[in-house]
């Protein structure tokens, strides 16, 4: 684990990220807050590309909780059976849709606690929805962010909760809204798990990773 970088270095890193990609976007396709919740819940242990392929057909026929309930669990399964753990995920999609209809008038709540009370929605999913839909500076720490944070020294920590806190505590507030997207994209395309592309890295000179690839 790298040592925590200082304020000035972190500011320079995120200035470079911002210059390269001023408005980073999440890669999960959605049309409203509800379809975003469903897409993020389905993305656990699956790729965004795989989820998008499955949800295009699903969201074309069910883009509200009421329509999803009308489709039913078997109908959901038909659309998402290419995704890992699809049976359990279909169950959760139906359960969370029923809760949204019964308790929230079919609307998606915008508090973290309310979101986390939905089946299949954990803190990471709630943070993604709060960030992507409402623009709240919530930090959704996935495997990419955990790896990048610890390799570089931007936000080191032994677990995702510590890394999340390190992002909130150490990244300047003007970069907080897009911080997790910049880190995810960096981890997905440059600072990959095996053979990171250090020669093409924007922050190679600022990164503390000792085993940089040539």
């Amino acid at each position: 684990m790298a040592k925590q970088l200082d304020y000035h270095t972190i500011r320079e890193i995120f200035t470079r990220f911002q210059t390269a990609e001023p408005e980073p976007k999440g890669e999960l396709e959605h049309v409203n807050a509800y379809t975003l919740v469903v897409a993020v819940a389905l993305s656990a242990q699956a790729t965004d590309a795989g989820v998008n392929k499955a949800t295009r057909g699903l969201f074309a026929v069910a883009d509200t909780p009421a329509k999803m309930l009308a489709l039913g669990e078997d109908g959901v399964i038909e659309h998402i059976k290419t995704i890992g753990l699809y049976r359990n995920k279909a169950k959760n999609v139906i359960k969370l849709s029923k809760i949204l209809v019964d308790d929230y008038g079919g609307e998606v709540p915008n508090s973290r606690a309310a979101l986390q009370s939905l089946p299949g929605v954990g803190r990471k999913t709630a943070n993604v929805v709060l960030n992507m839909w409402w623009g709240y500076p919530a930090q959704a720490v996935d495997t990419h962010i955990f790896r990048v944070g610890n390799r570089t020294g931007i936000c080191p920590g032994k677990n995702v909760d510590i890394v999340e806190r390190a992002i909130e505590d150490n990244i300047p507030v003007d970069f907080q809204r897009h911080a997790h997207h910049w880190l995810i994209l960096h981890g997905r395309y440059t600072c990959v798990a095996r053979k990171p592309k250090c020669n093409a890295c924007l922050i190679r000179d600022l990164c503390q990773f000792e085993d940089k690839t040539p």
Side-chain angles (χ1 to χ4, degrees):
M1 186 192 300
K3 192 178 73 173
Q4 176 68 58
L5 292 171
D6 64 69
Y7 171 83
H8 298 290
T9 304
I10 290 175
R11 174 162 279 286
E12 174 60 23
I13 284 171
F14 282 90
T15 298
R16 293 183 192 182
F17 284 157
Q18 185 179 58
T19 301
E21 186 72 61
E23 291 286 330
K25 304 290 183 191
E27 297 182 328
L28 284 172
E29 296 171 8
H30 59 283
V31 295
N32 53 31
Y34 170 68
T35 53
L36 178 59
V37 171
V38 172
V40 182
L42 293 177
S43 72
Q45 298 179 348
T47 65
D48 287 1
V51 172
N52 289 339
K53 191 174 177 183
T55 57
R56 281 175 201 137
L58 177 64
F59 294 157
V61 296
D63 60 357
T64 68
K67 289 179 185 176
M68 197 69 77
L69 289 174
L71 184 62
E73 192 176 318
D74 288 341
V76 175
I77 285 173
E78 275 307 302
H79 286 283
I80 69 166
K81 59 188 178 185
T82 54
I83 300 174
L85 308 174
Y86 67 91
R87 290 189 187 280
N88 194 49
K89 288 178 180 179
K91 230 181 222 91
N92 284 335
V93 167
I94 292 299
K95 283 182 184 174
L96 73 83
S97 298
K98 188 167 187 335
I99 291 170
L100 290 176
V101 168
D102 292 348
D103 298 347
Y104 297 98
E107 299 294 320
V108 175
N110 63 352
S111 88
R112 186 185 282 118
L115 285 167
Q116 283 188 245
S117 73
L118 300 173
V121 177
R123 185 179 179 89
K124 187 186 87 169
T125 297
N127 281 349
V128 171
V129 175
L130 291 172
N131 181 278
M132 286 181 65
W133 192 255
W134 283 286
Y136 181 75
Q139 308 303 332
V141 179
D142 68 354
T143 54
H144 297 301
I145 293 182
F146 189 77
R147 179 175 66 254
V148 172
N150 278 293
R151 270 184 182 169
T152 61
I154 293 171
C155 46
K158 292 179 180 177
N159 59 52
V160 293
D161 293 332
I162 294 172
V163 170
E164 182 181 329
R165 179 61 61 84
I167 294 173
E168 293 172 347
D169 288 351
N170 295 294
I171 293 174
V173 71
D174 45 318
F175 296 119
Q176 287 276 337
R177 181 180 172 189
H178 293 312
H180 96 272
H181 278 131
W182 282 316
L183 291 169
I184 285 171
L185 293 171
H186 191 64
R188 187 172 286 163
Y189 297 110
T190 304
C191 195
V192 294
R194 296 180 182 177
K195 296 185 180 177
K197 301 169 186 175
C198 300
N199 60 330
C201 179
L202 279 174
I203 61 167
R204 180 187 172 102
D205 56 316
L206 304 173
C207 169
Q208 290 197 36
F209 186 47
E210 291 181 358
D211 301 322
K212 289 187 177 73
T213 53

